[in-house]
Amino acid sequence: MTESRPSAADEPLVTSPLVIMALRPDGFEAVWAVSRLARGTLEWRTGDARGEARMDAFGMTPQSERVLRVRADGLPAGAEVQVRAVTVAVAHPGARHASAWKSVRLPDGSAESARIAVWNDTHQHDDTIRALDDQTPPVNLLVWNGDLCNDWTTPDRFADTVLAPAQRDISADRPLEVLIGNHDVRGDWAFRLQEYVATRDARPFSAARIGPVACIFLHTGEDKPDAHPTFRGRVAFEPLRAEQAQWLREATARPEIRDAPYRLVFCHIPLRWVDETPADYDDEGYDWFSRMSRDAWHDALAAWGAQLIVSGHTHEPALIPADREFPYAQVVAGGPDLDASSAEAATWIDIQADRGSLRLTMRTLDGAVRFAETLAPL
């Protein structure tokens, strides 16, 4: 007697929450995982208005056998929008799934206040992610500042790492901003990560105005030069840094970014560190800070008036004040460990800004304050 196996039609069609990313004044992108070839649309409502988003960049209804992404445009700035995903299996037309309605507040650059939370270096530690999720309040934006994983050695971990980490819906009341860390570009399957991460302009860097806060999101690449033999010719971060240097000049000239009272930069690898001794790459050394990124971006960031760089990577919290050479301070958050007494204890960062000041507080998972910094408006 042979054992019967469930067919694809018996598996749940949708395998993750509906995750809201790439927040913009007039919309966002929604991402969710599926178990088989399916098509997806978004239904939205705000006030008396109703609508549907159902087109990809080439005029098709978005379709995939792994992950669906739908971009919603043309919504009113600052609106409270309710959205749900409708998924229909292609090979089994009878299989249909409608998600629960999810609320999202679109950013409004004229708003007088903003709240942003930051996680980093979770490295697939489910217990740590659950604790972070429990402690982090509703915010305008949750920045997941790199190293979501260790490396992508199999092609089947993207959905449960990015979209349903620790079986949680981390974008509930917290639209998600995913930044790429150096571990996130490692492993034979790392090239697929971009299928699961939505960004504003289909590039791994962007700028956004969240109330009084202008945010620049950058990709610092790997912690060694592209030619390092461990990468086997599979990375090209040096040209990406050069591209971001040119883009920074243009992005920081946009009025809503140029004139913001507060100016923050988020990137996984720090641009400054407490010990800047050059790494010996031939002896298993690696960058604790990204000198290559700083060399490419410093002039543009200084000219813009960047006040604070928020990073992870080292698993060692630090606050490096601004000085004459580097007019921006550097904050570095903790590591992946649940135990607050560990040398690599996890932290989360709470950023609250209003007309009077911007307050950054870094806490460990037992609630203790590691660092606090206050910025005056420019």
Side-chain angles (χ1 to χ4, degrees):
M1 180 177 179
T2 59
E3 182 180 352
S4 63
R5 295 182 179 181
S7 69
D10 296 323
E11 298 177 14
L13 178 59
V14 174
T15 58
S16 82
L18 175 68
V19 179
I20 305 300
M21 300 190 199
L23 205 62
R24 308 182 317 280
D26 69 339
F28 51 85
E29 195 158 332
V31 188
W32 67 102
V34 293
S35 64
R36 54 194 182 273
L37 185 61
R39 56 182 172 86
T41 59
L42 289 180
E43 296 176 356
W44 59 264
R45 60 193 187 192
T46 178
D48 295 329
R50 301 288 187 276
E52 183 183 49
R54 54 179 298 269
M55 185 186 75
D56 70 11
F58 288 83
M60 300 281 286
T61 301
Q63 298 165 57
S64 173
E65 76 280 13
R66 294 189 295 266
V67 60
L68 291 169
R69 290 169 46 171
V70 183
R71 182 181 174 101
D73 291 303
L75 302 173
E80 182 80 25
V81 181
Q82 289 191 310
V83 59
R84 72 173 181 178
V86 177
T87 310
V88 179
V90 170
H92 304 278
R96 181 183 183 276
H97 178 275
S99 72
W101 289 95
K102 175 174 279 191
S103 293
V104 56
R105 170 73 67 179
L106 298 183
D108 181 355
S110 65
E112 293 192 355
S113 64
R115 192 170 190 181
I116 299 168
V118 187
W119 300 356
N120 62 282
D121 293 276
T122 47
H123 290 283
Q124 296 170 312
H125 284 222
D126 284 358
D127 51 358
T128 298
I129 290 170
R130 285 190 285 268
L132 288 166
D133 187 42
D134 290 341
Q135 292 199 20
T136 306
V139 289
N140 299 108
L141 192 68
L142 170 59
V143 180
W144 204 354
N145 204 358
D147 281 7
L148 286 60
C149 78
N150 295 310
D151 53 22
W152 305 108
T153 55
T154 66
D156 58 357
R157 292 301 310 276
F158 291 100
D160 66 7
T161 298
V162 182
L163 303 179
Q167 298 78 53
R168 294 290 182 97
D169 178 7
I170 65 171
S171 78
D173 298 316
R174 297 187 296 244
L176 188 60
E177 188 81 32
V178 176
L179 275 66
I180 308 300
N182 56 301
H183 278 271
D184 300 321
V185 300
R186 294 181 180 176
D188 289 348
W189 298 94
F191 66 93
R192 275 197 183 170
L193 177 60
Q194 59 189 287
E195 299 176 26
Y196 295 80
V197 175
T199 60
R200 292 169 185 80
D201 303 306
R203 304 294 289 135
F205 50 87
S206 66
R209 176 76 178 262
I210 311 295
V213 185
C215 302
I216 296 287
F217 305 105
L218 295 170
H219 189 340
T220 44
E222 259 291 3
D223 61 10
K224 293 175 281 291
D226 288 354
H228 196 277
T230 58
F231 302 145
R232 297 178 291 151
R234 303 187 76 210
V235 303
F237 295 119
E238 287 158 29
L240 181 65
R241 292 187 189 97
E243 180 185 351
Q244 290 176 91
Q246 176 61 36
W247 170 85
L248 269 172
R249 296 288 186 184
E250 300 163 0
T252 55
R254 289 162 34 188
E256 77 276 16
I257 304 299
R258 180 195 65 206
D259 300 333
Y262 306 103
R263 303 173 194 182
L264 305 186
V265 178
F266 298 86
C267 57
H268 176 69
I269 302 179
L271 301 188
R272 303 175 61 195
W273 188 236
V274 293
D275 179 0
E276 297 199 352
T277 303
D280 184 353
Y281 304 119
D282 294 329
D283 189 26
E284 299 185 354
Y286 60 90
D287 293 328
W288 281 64
F289 76 105
S290 184
R291 187 185 299 273
M292 291 179 284
S293 297
R294 188 174 76 195
D295 288 349
W297 305 336
H298 169 80
D299 290 347
L301 294 176
W304 174 49
Q307 296 168 286
L308 188 64
I309 316 295
V310 182
S311 303
H313 178 62
T314 69
H315 301 185
E316 183 177 323
L319 173 59
I320 306 171
D323 58 30
R324 183 170 298 179
E325 183 179 5
F326 300 110
Y328 41 80
Q330 172 75 67
V331 169
V332 182
D337 289 355
L338 180 65
D339 181 0
S341 64
S342 165
E344 296 193 350
T347 64
W348 73 278
I349 293 174
D350 186 10
I351 298 170
Q352 299 186 57
D354 55 32
R355 182 178 296 179
S357 65
L358 180 148
R359 287 89 56 201
L360 179 149
T361 307
M362 183 192 303
R363 298 182 185 276
T364 50
L365 293 178
D366 62 356
V369 174
R370 286 300 307 265
F371 292 110
E373 178 79 345
T374 300
L375 302 178
L378 295 173

